[in-house]
Amino acid sequence: LLFCSLITNAQNKLIDSLTNVVNNSAKDTNTIIALNQLSRIYYKTGKHDSAMQTAKRALAISEATCYLKGQAEARNHIGNIYNEQGSYPDALNNYLLSLKIREDIGDKKGVGNSLNNIGTIYKNQNDNRKALEYLFKSLMIRQAINDSHGIAINHINIGSVCTNIKNYKEALSHLSAALVIFEEIGDSYGVAYAHTNFGA
């Protein structure tokens, strides 16, 4: 309980700090970055309405100031929320818009993230062929830039699709690759996530 209380207090302080930036800054990149960070926190804590409102504010200011990186990030957050709500067409539309911007500005890590997210949308819709197409594209980019955590996530998602199509041997191969990476980078949540998928 004490540990949970410490995490909550730290999170609340971060929210207060970011809110202070938003309230006391001009509508510039600092405001956009703070809004996108707030949206991410709200999303992770299940406050989806607040996450959506904050991401849309970040998007509006990003578009008004032509800050493309902020637009891509906000679109990605909006896509995450729609995905969580099961609104897959809206999620896919925002992920595709985010991908286009990230490709245009040469944000390879962002491109890898967007491709992975698009792959998960197709996975959620049981379009396994398209899911694997986007997930492998994401994997190739993340391998090229040595994004270890991203690579592990791709292996998890590919393993999940392989499980869906009952290609268990391939699924176990990808999950094993993910587990090794999560252990190497000390990601205990990732290790648990991999074992959950092994169980499936």
Side-chain angles (χ1 to χ4, degrees):
L1 288 172
L2 176 61
F3 180 69
C4 290
S5 176
L6 289 171
I7 291 175
T8 301
N9 288 337
Q11 199 169 68
N12 288 337
K13 285 182 180 178
L14 179 56
I15 289 172
D16 289 344
S17 175
L18 292 170
T19 302
N20 187 52
V21 171
V22 171
N23 292 337
N24 294 293
S25 298
K27 291 183 177 179
D28 57 11
T29 54
N30 288 330
T31 305
I32 296 163
I33 291 167
L35 285 168
N36 275 323
Q37 287 178 328
L38 276 171
S39 180
R40 187 184 304 112
I41 293 169
Y42 288 140
Y43 172 74
K44 287 185 176 181
T45 54
K47 299 174 182 176
H48 293 161
D49 288 343
S50 296
M52 181 66 84
Q53 290 170 7
T54 308
K56 285 184 175 179
R57 282 184 66 193
L59 178 61
I61 299 172
S62 296
E63 289 177 337
T65 58
C66 299
Y67 181 43
L68 294 176
K69 188 171 183 179
Q71 290 179 41
E73 181 113 4
R75 288 282 184 193
N76 189 66
H77 292 320
I78 292 168
N80 287 340
I81 299 159
Y82 278 131
N83 186 16
E84 188 74 20
Q85 294 172 342
S87 300
Y88 299 133
D90 291 323
L92 181 59
N93 180 55
N94 279 280
Y95 285 151
L96 288 169
L97 289 169
S98 179
L99 173 63
K100 177 68 169 61
I101 295 168
R102 286 167 165 174
E103 287 175 335
D104 288 346
I105 64 176
D107 179 5
K108 290 185 178 179
K109 187 169 184 177
V111 168
N113 185 37
S114 290
L115 289 169
N116 175 73
N117 289 341
I118 293 167
T120 61
I121 290 294
Y122 285 120
K123 176 173 73 76
N124 291 340
Q125 294 179 308
N126 295 315
D127 189 339
N128 297 306
R129 183 186 63 78
K130 277 195 173 182
L132 289 174
E133 175 188 340
Y134 279 93
L135 290 171
F136 274 112
K137 283 181 182 178
S138 175
L139 179 61
M140 288 179 64
I141 289 173
R142 285 170 160 175
Q143 287 173 332
I145 62 173
N146 296 315
D147 179 4
S148 296
H149 184 266
I151 292 168
I153 292 296
N154 278 132
H155 280 303
I156 289 283
N157 288 330
I158 293 169
S160 178
V161 176
C162 290
T163 300
N164 289 344
I165 61 177
K166 303 188 188 306
N167 186 348
Y168 300 126
K169 183 176 180 181
E170 192 72 14
L172 289 170
S173 175
H174 283 284
L175 295 176
S176 296
L179 179 61
V180 168
I181 295 170
F182 283 135
E183 289 176 336
E184 286 177 348
I185 64 177
D187 185 340
S188 56
Y189 177 82
V191 169
Y193 190 36
H195 281 296
T196 298
N197 280 270
F198 275 122

